[in-house]
mmCIF file of all heavy atoms in Angstrom:
data_model
loop_
_atom_site.group_PDB
_atom_site.id
_atom_site.type_symbol
_atom_site.label_atom_id
_atom_site.label_comp_id
_atom_site.label_asym_id
_atom_site.label_seq_id
_atom_site.Cartn_x
_atom_site.Cartn_y
_atom_site.Cartn_z
ATOM 1 N N ALA P 277 10.161 3.925 37.259
ATOM 2 C CA ALA P 277 11.189 3.451 38.178
ATOM 3 C C ALA P 277 11.486 4.634 39.100
ATOM 4 O O ALA P 277 12.221 5.555 38.730
ATOM 5 C CB ALA P 277 12.435 3.010 37.417
ATOM 6 N N TRP P 278 10.866 4.645 40.285
ATOM 7 C CA TRP P 278 10.890 5.814 41.159
ATOM 8 C C TRP P 278 12.290 6.089 41.691
ATOM 9 O O TRP P 278 13.037 5.167 42.024
ATOM 10 C CB TRP P 278 9.915 5.637 42.314
ATOM 11 C CG TRP P 278 8.493 5.520 41.867
ATOM 12 C CD1 TRP P 278 7.715 4.402 41.862
ATOM 13 C CD2 TRP P 278 7.681 6.579 41.321
ATOM 14 N NE1 TRP P 278 6.471 4.688 41.350
ATOM 15 C CE2 TRP P 278 6.416 6.011 41.012
ATOM 16 C CE3 TRP P 278 7.900 7.928 41.066
ATOM 17 C CZ2 TRP P 278 5.383 6.757 40.468
ATOM 18 C CZ3 TRP P 278 6.874 8.676 40.513
ATOM 19 C CH2 TRP P 278 5.634 8.101 40.233
ATOM 20 N N LEU P 279 12.614 7.366 41.781
ATOM 21 C CA LEU P 279 13.926 7.791 42.252
ATOM 22 C C LEU P 279 13.888 8.376 43.659
ATOM 23 O O LEU P 279 14.943 8.611 44.253
ATOM 24 C CB LEU P 279 14.519 8.844 41.294
ATOM 25 C CG LEU P 279 14.786 8.358 39.861
ATOM 26 C CD1 LEU P 279 15.143 9.532 38.957
ATOM 27 C CD2 LEU P 279 15.894 7.320 39.844
ATOM 28 N N ASP P 280 12.693 8.632 44.174
ATOM 29 C CA ASP P 280 12.596 9.217 45.516
ATOM 30 C C ASP P 280 11.414 8.594 46.250
ATOM 31 O O ASP P 280 10.504 8.007 45.659
ATOM 32 C CB ASP P 280 12.445 10.744 45.446
ATOM 33 C CG ASP P 280 11.261 11.178 44.583
ATOM 34 O OD1 ASP P 280 10.570 10.301 44.027
ATOM 35 O OD2 ASP P 280 11.012 12.386 44.483
ATOM 36 N N GLU P 281 11.455 8.719 47.583
ATOM 37 C CA GLU P 281 10.415 8.111 48.408
ATOM 38 C C GLU P 281 9.049 8.738 48.178
ATOM 39 O O GLU P 281 8.019 8.076 48.298
ATOM 40 C CB GLU P 281 10.798 8.228 49.889
ATOM 41 C CG GLU P 281 12.021 7.391 50.271
ATOM 42 C CD GLU P 281 12.347 7.502 51.749
ATOM 43 O OE1 GLU P 281 11.595 8.199 52.472
ATOM 44 O OE2 GLU P 281 13.345 6.898 52.178
ATOM 45 N N GLY P 282 9.034 10.020 47.840
ATOM 46 C CA GLY P 282 7.762 10.699 47.622
ATOM 47 C C GLY P 282 7.121 10.387 46.282
ATOM 48 O O GLY P 282 6.019 10.855 45.991
ATOM 49 N N LYS P 283 7.793 9.599 45.449
ATOM 50 C CA LYS P 283 7.294 9.220 44.126
ATOM 51 C C LYS P 283 6.910 10.448 43.297
ATOM 52 O O LYS P 283 5.789 10.570 42.798
ATOM 53 C CB LYS P 283 6.101 8.261 44.251
ATOM 54 C CG LYS P 283 6.484 6.905 44.818
ATOM 55 C CD LYS P 283 5.348 5.901 44.738
ATOM 56 C CE LYS P 283 5.822 4.521 45.194
ATOM 57 N NZ LYS P 283 4.751 3.505 45.088
ATOM 58 N N THR P 284 7.885 11.347 43.197
ATOM 59 C CA THR P 284 7.690 12.520 42.340
ATOM 60 C C THR P 284 8.564 12.458 41.098
ATOM 61 O O THR P 284 8.181 12.945 40.040
ATOM 62 C CB THR P 284 8.006 13.813 43.110
ATOM 63 O OG1 THR P 284 9.374 13.755 43.582
ATOM 64 C CG2 THR P 284 7.069 13.996 44.298
ATOM 65 N N ARG P 285 9.758 11.846 41.219
ATOM 66 C CA ARG P 285 10.686 11.742 40.098
ATOM 67 C C ARG P 285 10.878 10.279 39.727
ATOM 68 O O ARG P 285 10.997 9.424 40.604
ATOM 69 C CB ARG P 285 12.047 12.349 40.450
ATOM 70 C CG ARG P 285 12.049 13.857 40.609
ATOM 71 C CD ARG P 285 13.418 14.324 41.067
ATOM 72 N NE ARG P 285 13.540 15.772 41.031
ATOM 73 C CZ ARG P 285 13.177 16.577 42.023
ATOM 74 N NH1 ARG P 285 12.669 16.062 43.134
ATOM 75 N NH2 ARG P 285 13.322 17.885 41.918
ATOM 76 N N PHE P 286 10.954 10.021 38.417
ATOM 77 C CA PHE P 286 11.144 8.634 37.989
ATOM 78 C C PHE P 286 11.848 8.563 36.645
ATOM 79 O O PHE P 286 11.858 9.514 35.874
ATOM 80 C CB PHE P 286 9.800 7.902 37.914
ATOM 81 C CG PHE P 286 8.876 8.383 36.820
ATOM 82 C CD1 PHE P 286 8.858 7.765 35.568
ATOM 83 C CD2 PHE P 286 7.997 9.444 37.040
ATOM 84 C CE1 PHE P 286 8.001 8.199 34.567
ATOM 85 C CE2 PHE P 286 7.147 9.891 36.041
ATOM 86 C CZ PHE P 286 7.151 9.268 34.805
#
Side-chain angles (χ1 to χ4, degrees):
W278 297 108
L279 297 170
D280 55 359
E281 293 182 2
K283 293 189 175 182
T284 58
R285 291 175 171 87
F286 68 94

